[in-house]
Amino acid sequence: MDTHLIEQAAGPTPQDYKSEVKPIWCPGCGDYSVLAAVTRAFATMGLEKHNTAVVSGIGCSSRIPAYTSAYGFHGVHGRALAAAGGLKLARPELTVVVFGGDGDGFSIGGNHFLHACRRNVDMTYVVMDNQVYGMTKGQASPTTEPTWCESKLTPEGTGVNPIQPVQLAIACGANFVARGFSGDPNGVAKLIVEAIKHPGFSVVQVLSPCVTFRPEQKGWKSAVHPYGREPTEDPALAMRAALEDDGFGLGIFLAGNRLPFAPAGKAVASIDELEQEFAV
Amino acid sequence: MTVDSVTIAFVGSGGAGVMTAGQMLLDAAAHVGWYGHMSRSSGPQIRGGEAAAFVRLSPQPVQAPGDRFDLIVAFDWQNIERFAAELPLSADSVIVTDPSQGEIPAVLAASGAKTIALPIKDIAATIPGGRVNMVGLGAVAAVIGLPRAGIEKVVESALGKKGEAAIQASIAGAEGGAKAAVGWNLGLELAAPAKSGAPRWNISGNEAAGLGALKAGVKFCAAYPITPATEVLEWLAPALAKTGGTLVQAEDEIASINMCIGASFGGVPSVTATAGPGLSLMIEALGLAISSETPVVVVDVMRGGPSTGIPTKSEQSDLNIAVYGMHGDAPHLVVAPTSIADCAYTTQWAVHLAEAIQTPCIVLSDQAMGQSRAVVDKPADAPFKAQRLLATLADGVPYKRYANTPSGISPAAIPGMPGGEHTADGLEHAESALPSSQASDHQKQLDKRLRKLTQYDYGAPWADVEGEGEVAVLTWGSATGPAREAIARLAAQGKKVRLVAMRLIAPLQPEKLAEALKGVSKLLILEQTHGAQFHKYLRAHMDLPGAVTVFSRPGPLPIRAGEVHEKLVSLV
Amino acid sequence: MTTARVQNGASSVGLFLAHAVELESEAADRYDELADSLEAYNNVEVAQLFRDLAGYSRKHRDQVKSIADEFGPLPKVAPWEFQWDHTAESPEAAAFENAHYLMTPHHALKMAEVCELQGQKYYAAVASETKDPTVATLAREFADEEGGHVELVRRWLERYPTPPEGWDEDPDPPNYSE
């Protein structure tokens, strides 16, 4: 453990990264912990608020930018990764962190998730997975088990297998893949710090119970466990571990070595020179 | 006896090199000092399909495709029925055909056009490495009086990399064709160009649009290919890389537009290009840009709609979605270039407007301009630059991203500016940017977002207003060229017709339009839509002066000056 | 309980006090978050109760800080470097998942009771674990202090017996907000 004798008052505190806006999540929502984890991570890294951008889509989880005091972009449903990718590519010096839920990220956002992993732009994606659509009153999401019958939209259950975000992320080429649990905000904070520090596209799936529509998820506290292996840089090994995991294994599955996608942006010609191509 | 304009077509199928012949003819003519316009048509095959290149040349700038073809050179007649409607002929036309390729199809022969036999294939066979398209090109060059030097120059630049033998073979092929054309006496020698020495460009509308965006200061583009817009993106890819910008290929149009909006939120002027189906996909994100007041420019190269429609043909039928597409009350900018060269000017203007007003601007180009090339006078540099109003942040003063200013434009804070942190939102919001469902906030922000558009001074570029007369043509986009030419023909007969070609489509400028149409007793509305979208749009906002005639027809056939002339003749 | 668990807090006075400050700070922050969330959901009574509890935690934190002042500057510890006894975070940070927008003071105080008990357990564990006599003394003191808090909460609880069934019934269906 690395400790150093420094006045505790020095350096930013998590509170510095919170805005004055009080979250309207249901009391008991796992997202409170994620907000705590994120602000702790930012404080630990000493990030500059004005050089940090928090991007989200639509859903309970996506409300988070307004609760932080960094720059925020609250976009449309499912498209946060696209907006964030554009922002990071245009402004590579910013720290860009994307937030969303399992519906925003894997249903309407599924295609962008696939390509964000593949494209490997240097940014971090925190998915608050509660296996339900909370904001629209409790429909099944792509991570909901097929037998869950509590939604009016699918009263017999979806009958469709869920996707497994960690496996999907590894398969599509994300460079850093981890799973955390909102019941351990410090653990999640640590994963977020590692994720931000790790080059390329980092995915942190946070199991984050929905107290209103999936009260049985209180039992997740007993279901989670360390997934039992050291992080590897080999996607094949990471995938094996993810496939064998029961979906509640916590830790860093993959800390890969793919180079991040960042097209070089140095000017080597003027527009006048380019115009010459049209000259008769 | 020379002519002032000659309209030529090369037709043939895969391997004949029809497109190359057309391109080389245009380029050669340009070198010699002529102006020209070239468009193309092809079958659905990826390669080897039937193809046609349409070239019109003149000593003066060419505004529109010719009314009919003076000369067709056919390498073969495969699937020619596909192009029959695009090859208007008359008894004065000349069809040059290779006897080895069979009879001229009845649909073309019915015109009564003169026919000339030219054994193109045989001539090419006598030359080692000889190609039929060079033989055809040589024959055309002889007919119109294009000096050999022009052909040589073009062959060298096109084939320089392939080596001396290829160059010689091509020149020999052209010579073979030229020799065979001696004595045809078709009376199609083009009048000599006026050698002004002013710089000229050979450019397509799509290239021009990309250039315009770059000149305004665009540094980011997210791209998804779609016919007929892909060339905008393909031109921008190396151009942005060379000028310190970034182009990234996205997974779909929705990703493209959202990436552009994200980049723009970061303060970087951004552009993308698409066509109708892509624009439909982008509409939701454009609403986000409107609500969050994030500038972005979308070049829509319109094609035959609706749905998949006719991807390779032109139409102006995206007007409705460009203006009305977003849900909610979502006013924004729509502009439309009036010609191939104007694609640069208007796109540059679009970036400037979008950044100044902090809203999306849709540029309605179309396939006719986008995928056609023209030899034009080099456009003057336009003064438009991307310049966003930035906030001055004072310590202790809370920053209001959506402050309700008199102009409606709120000073913007960009990530990187300390003290300007806020969350931009598609949710309706208070001045502070915090989400709000309050009536007063909604009213305030709606008023503000409208006011910033209606109170902006757009200046002269809002429309090209030309000429005088009680008869006027009101049009937009690529319909402008044929209108100009028709009006010029009437002017030559002493008949005055006014032209108003609208560049700023939204927000509509009823007062300026009324002023431009003052004294008009007969108004011709000209557009290439099935549902008279432009006319209905105008009527939704204002009364039009005088007796109004609407000439609105859909694609896929180009509007020709002759059609407009015919309509005007009945009015003047 | 394994001996390694509380190693950090047990190893030196500086680290121990850093843990103690963190323990109460996080507890206060958590109570405040709960108070905010219940205020947003118009459960004013319990919101106020959590505010009061936050106040007490801050008072305890200040008490620890003034003790710490005698020992000099505290080491900086990353949030996940704290080692607690069987809890992932401060033993006195209330379990968020047990909140409910219709919760009654009874539920809130039950949560607080668990917090204080966990706090007491932590200090007792450190006291038995540590090799440092100053740490041992302090830890025992703090454990006793926490014991007092447990008693306070229990007396408070006497005023709020378990509510009857149906306390969490809401005749209205959930709202759409977006």
Side-chain angles (χ1 to χ4, degrees):
Chain A
M1 182 174 104
D2 178 33
T3 60
H4 18 271
L5 289 172
I6 301 174
E7 274 295 327
Q8 269 201 329
T13 66
Q15 202 56 37
D16 292 333
Y17 296 90
K18 289 190 185 163
S19 71
E20 297 106 46
V21 182
K22 300 295 170 209
I24 48 87
W25 295 316
C26 303
C29 175
D31 292 352
Y32 281 102
S33 294
V34 178
L35 178 61
V38 164
T39 49
R40 279 177 210 178
F42 287 177
T44 305
M45 296 179 75
L47 293 180
E48 291 173 315
K49 287 187 300 182
H50 60 276
N51 282 323
T52 305
V54 170
V55 181
S56 68
I58 299 287
C60 292
S61 318
S62 288
R63 287 266 180 170
I64 209 170
Y67 306 146
T68 73
S69 57
Y71 275 91
F73 190 80
H74 187 204
V76 290
H77 197 31
R79 318 295 175 189
L81 285 172
L87 176 60
K88 179 69 182 185
L89 285 171
R91 295 286 309 277
E93 73 280 14
L94 298 174
T95 301
V96 178
V97 186
V98 193
F99 291 90
D102 39 302
D104 184 81
F106 304 124
S107 200
I108 185 170
N111 190 35
H112 304 306
F113 178 72
L114 187 168
H115 290 281
C117 292
R118 178 181 150 249
R119 195 174 288 117
N120 202 32
V121 168
D122 183 20
M123 56 191 192
T124 297
Y125 184 35
V126 179
V127 187
M128 288 160 257
D129 188 359
N130 58 8
Q131 298 175 6
V132 77
Y133 278 101
M135 182 141 274
T136 48
K137 297 188 350 184
Q139 293 76 33
S141 90
T143 53
T144 306
E145 64 274 34
T147 49
W148 183 67
C149 297
E150 303 303 310
S151 165
K152 293 196 190 109
L153 214 50
T154 52
E156 316 287 316
T158 64
V160 177
N161 271 359
I163 56 107
Q164 183 34 268
V166 162
Q167 293 166 13
L168 198 58
I170 297 170
C172 296
N175 206 30
F176 179 98
V177 182
R179 184 188 288 125
F181 172 53
S182 65
D184 176 14
N186 286 329
V188 173
K190 183 153 199 262
L191 290 176
I192 292 176
V193 170
E194 295 298 316
I196 293 176
K197 282 189 178 158
H198 201 87
F201 187 64
S202 303
V203 180
V204 182
Q205 175 199 14
V206 182
L207 298 169
S208 177
C210 175
V211 66
T212 298
F213 295 107
R214 307 234 31 198
E216 72 275 18
Q217 286 172 350
K218 256 204 202 153
W220 280 1
K221 220 162 74 158
S222 329
V224 295
H225 56 89
Y227 86 96
R229 282 175 237 216
E230 285 303 300
T232 171
E233 66 173 23
D234 180 354
L237 285 176
M239 182 59 110
R240 165 116 274 136
L243 285 167
E244 291 170 357
D245 175 72
D246 62 357
F248 288 102
L250 308 181
I252 300 172
F253 285 77
L254 177 66
N257 54 19
R258 282 183 66 201
L259 284 174
F261 175 73
K266 273 212 192 78
V268 297
S270 70
I271 297 175
D272 284 342
E273 286 169 327
L274 292 177
E275 272 182 5
Q276 284 312 304
E277 110 180 46
F278 302 119
V280 168
Chain B
M1 207 20 223
T2 57
V3 295
D4 233 15
S5 151
V6 64
T7 306
I8 299 149
F10 290 108
V11 301
S13 54
V18 162
M19 302 305 200
T20 309
Q23 183 72 61
M24 289 174 97
L25 177 60
L26 183 73
D27 292 348
H31 284 309
V32 158
W34 282 319
Y35 291 87
H37 176 278
M38 183 185 81
S39 57
R40 301 188 284 199
S41 203
S42 62
Q45 308 87 333
I46 301 291
R47 303 196 79 167
E50 54 279 11
F54 312 115
V55 181
R56 186 179 182 200
L57 303 174
S58 168
Q60 294 99 30
V62 174
Q63 314 262 30
D67 288 343
R68 60 157 174 77
F69 284 85
D70 299 304
L71 176 65
I72 297 182
V73 176
F75 302 111
D76 61 68
W77 294 113
Q78 303 285 15
N79 285 316
I80 193 64
E81 305 76 40
R82 186 186 297 285
F83 307 128
E86 295 173 79
L87 289 168
L89 299 167
S90 75
D92 294 325
S93 306
V94 179
I95 304 176
V96 174
T97 171
D98 187 336
S100 72
Q101 299 302 310
E103 291 286 305
I104 295 174
V107 65
L108 296 181
S111 63
K114 180 171 166 179
T115 65
I116 296 184
L118 178 66
I120 301 173
K121 211 157 169 203
D122 289 343
I123 295 174
T126 65
I127 299 159
R131 307 199 66 109
V132 294
N133 65 345
M134 292 312 299
V135 174
L137 180 61
V140 169
V143 167
I144 68 175
L146 178 69
R148 183 200 157 103
I151 300 282
E152 282 173 355
K153 183 133 200 253
V154 141
V155 167
E156 265 156 36
S157 38
L159 297 177
K161 291 198 194 95
K162 294 210 175 136
E164 194 54 34
I167 294 177
Q168 287 313 317
S170 292
I171 294 182
E175 272 179 1
K179 224 160 58 175
V182 162
W184 283 359
N185 294 324
L186 299 180
L188 290 175
E189 253 188 60
L190 197 53
K195 292 248 200 274
S196 69
R200 300 186 308 152
W201 278 2
N202 182 336
I203 193 169
S204 73
N206 280 348
E207 290 165 343
L211 178 65
L214 205 70
K215 286 174 84 124
V218 159
K219 283 278 186 275
F220 182 84
C221 172
Y224 192 73
I226 183 172
T227 305
T230 308
E231 294 92 351
V232 180
L233 307 164
E234 286 177 341
W235 188 84
L236 277 171
L240 276 168
K242 286 182 193 155
T243 52
T246 301
L247 182 141
V248 60
Q249 180 176 336
E251 54 271 26
D252 57 34
E253 287 90 343
I254 299 178
S256 294
I257 187 64
N258 277 282
M259 284 182 164
C260 286
I261 292 171
S264 182
F265 170 69
V268 176
S270 305
V271 73
T272 187
T274 189
L279 183 60
S280 290
L281 289 173
M282 294 184 182
I283 291 295
E284 185 200 23
L286 290 172
L288 171 66
I290 291 167
S291 185
S292 63
E293 303 201 50
T294 311
V296 70
V297 171
V298 178
V299 178
D300 176 23
V301 187
M302 296 184 288
R303 66 195 221 179
S307 187
T308 314
I310 310 178
T312 53
K313 296 292 182 222
S314 202
E315 206 168 69
Q316 293 186 309
S317 48
D318 291 352
L319 177 68
N320 278 350
I321 194 176
V323 174
Y324 297 121
M326 300 79 191
H327 62 270
D329 288 300
H332 55 282
L333 293 159
V334 180
V335 298
T338 57
S339 70
I340 289 173
D342 197 57
C343 287
Y345 180 87
T346 301
T347 306
Q348 191 174 347
W349 192 44
V351 174
H352 166 76
L353 290 176
E355 290 284 327
I357 302 176
Q358 297 177 25
T359 196
C361 184
I362 300 173
V363 180
L364 290 178
S365 175
D366 61 28
Q367 187 274 334
M369 295 185 289
Q371 289 191 324
S372 299
R373 302 197 69 80
V375 178
V376 299
D377 289 321
K378 176 175 187 286
D381 273 333
F384 309 123
K385 286 273 179 252
Q387 204 154 20
R388 209 178 298 187
L389 177 66
L390 294 180
T392 358
L393 300 163
D395 248 352
V397 178
Y399 168 63
K400 291 184 181 176
R401 171 64 185 100
Y402 302 113
N404 193 19
T405 61
S407 69
I409 299 173
S410 313
I414 307 257
M417 292 168 63
E421 296 89 357
H422 65 279
T423 294
D425 217 319
L427 281 170
E428 188 58 282
H429 36 260
E431 290 182 78
S432 63
L434 289 180
S436 167
S437 59
Q438 297 301 302
S440 57
D441 286 328
H442 191 40
Q443 186 74 47
K444 195 183 285 184
Q445 293 295 319
L446 285 169
D447 287 341
K448 179 182 106 65
R449 290 193 293 257
L450 178 62
R451 184 168 73 247
K452 68 180 183 177
L453 284 160
T454 55
Q455 293 201 356
Y456 189 83
D457 181 7
Y458 296 96
W462 78 276
D464 290 341
V465 182
E466 296 162 8
E468 350 162 283
E470 278 182 28
V471 179
V473 177
L474 174 55
T475 188
W476 66 287
S478 62
T480 305
R484 279 199 174 113
E485 184 169 336
I487 290 174
R489 283 185 206 170
L490 286 164
Q493 298 163 345
K495 308 234 166 75
K496 288 194 198 162
V497 176
R498 209 186 302 190
L499 172 71
V500 178
M502 259 172 60
R503 185 175 286 102
L504 180 66
I505 306 293
L508 193 64
Q509 308 289 302
E511 279 158 22
K512 287 186 172 172
L513 193 50
E515 180 62 38
L517 293 174
K518 212 149 146 205
V520 167
S521 60
K522 292 186 189 156
L523 181 62
L524 176 68
I525 308 280
L526 175 64
E527 56 173 307
Q528 197 179 26
T529 70
H530 181 260
Q533 292 184 20
F534 183 55
H535 179 233
K536 291 182 174 137
Y537 172 57
L538 294 166
R539 290 290 288 117
H541 289 270
M542 61 190 289
D543 292 325
L544 295 167
V548 177
T549 308
V550 179
F551 178 24
S552 150
R553 70 157 175 78
L557 300 175
I559 297 181
R560 298 184 194 270
E563 303 175 72
V564 184
H565 182 261
E566 198 183 303
K567 277 282 183 290
L568 284 174
V569 153
S570 67
L571 293 178
V572 296
Chain C
M1 183 188 104
T2 59
T3 52
R5 289 205 78 92
V6 294
Q7 190 169 16
N8 283 350
S11 56
S12 75
V13 175
L15 281 171
F16 169 73
L17 289 168
H19 277 71
V21 170
E22 175 78 358
L23 187 149
E24 297 293 350
S25 295
E26 263 201 48
D29 286 344
R30 181 59 53 81
Y31 283 136
D32 266 332
E33 277 168 4
L34 283 160
D36 285 340
S37 73
L38 284 159
E39 222 170 68
Y41 279 68
N42 301 303
N43 188 336
V44 178
E45 198 185 0
V46 175
Q48 186 53 53
L49 202 153
F50 278 128
R51 292 257 183 256
D52 293 340
L53 288 165
Y56 291 136
S57 291
R58 260 191 287 279
K59 234 173 56 187
H60 302 159
R61 181 204 62 195
D62 292 340
Q63 281 164 358
V64 174
K65 267 199 171 157
S66 59
I67 295 175
D69 281 341
E70 300 167 31
F71 289 88
L74 295 178
K76 191 169 163 78
V77 183
W80 47 84
E81 288 169 344
F82 288 102
Q83 286 181 343
W84 310 107
D85 172 30
H86 283 106
T87 55
E89 40 173 4
S90 156
E92 294 205 355
F96 233 132
E97 66 267 18
N98 289 330
H100 188 286
Y101 71 107
L102 290 174
M103 66 195 297
T104 68
H106 170 86
H107 300 107
L109 288 165
K110 285 306 267 184
M111 282 171 73
E113 183 189 19
V114 167
C115 292
E116 301 301 331
L117 277 167
Q118 283 180 168
Q120 182 184 42
K121 262 187 75 186
Y122 169 73
Y123 287 127
V126 171
S128 80
E129 176 59 30
T130 187
K131 308 267 189 301
D132 183 319
T134 322
V135 173
T137 313
L138 286 169
R140 270 195 297 272
E141 257 177 51
F142 288 9
D144 286 341
E145 178 81 31
E146 295 302 335
H149 299 165
V150 173
E151 281 315 305
L152 270 167
V153 171
R154 282 182 175 155
R155 275 209 295 281
W156 209 346
L157 261 168
E158 282 163 17
R159 284 188 269 149
Y160 298 104
T162 316
E165 250 190 57
W167 63 269
D168 57 350
E169 265 165 32
D170 187 339
D172 283 348
N175 298 321
Y176 284 110
S177 52
E178 222 164 272

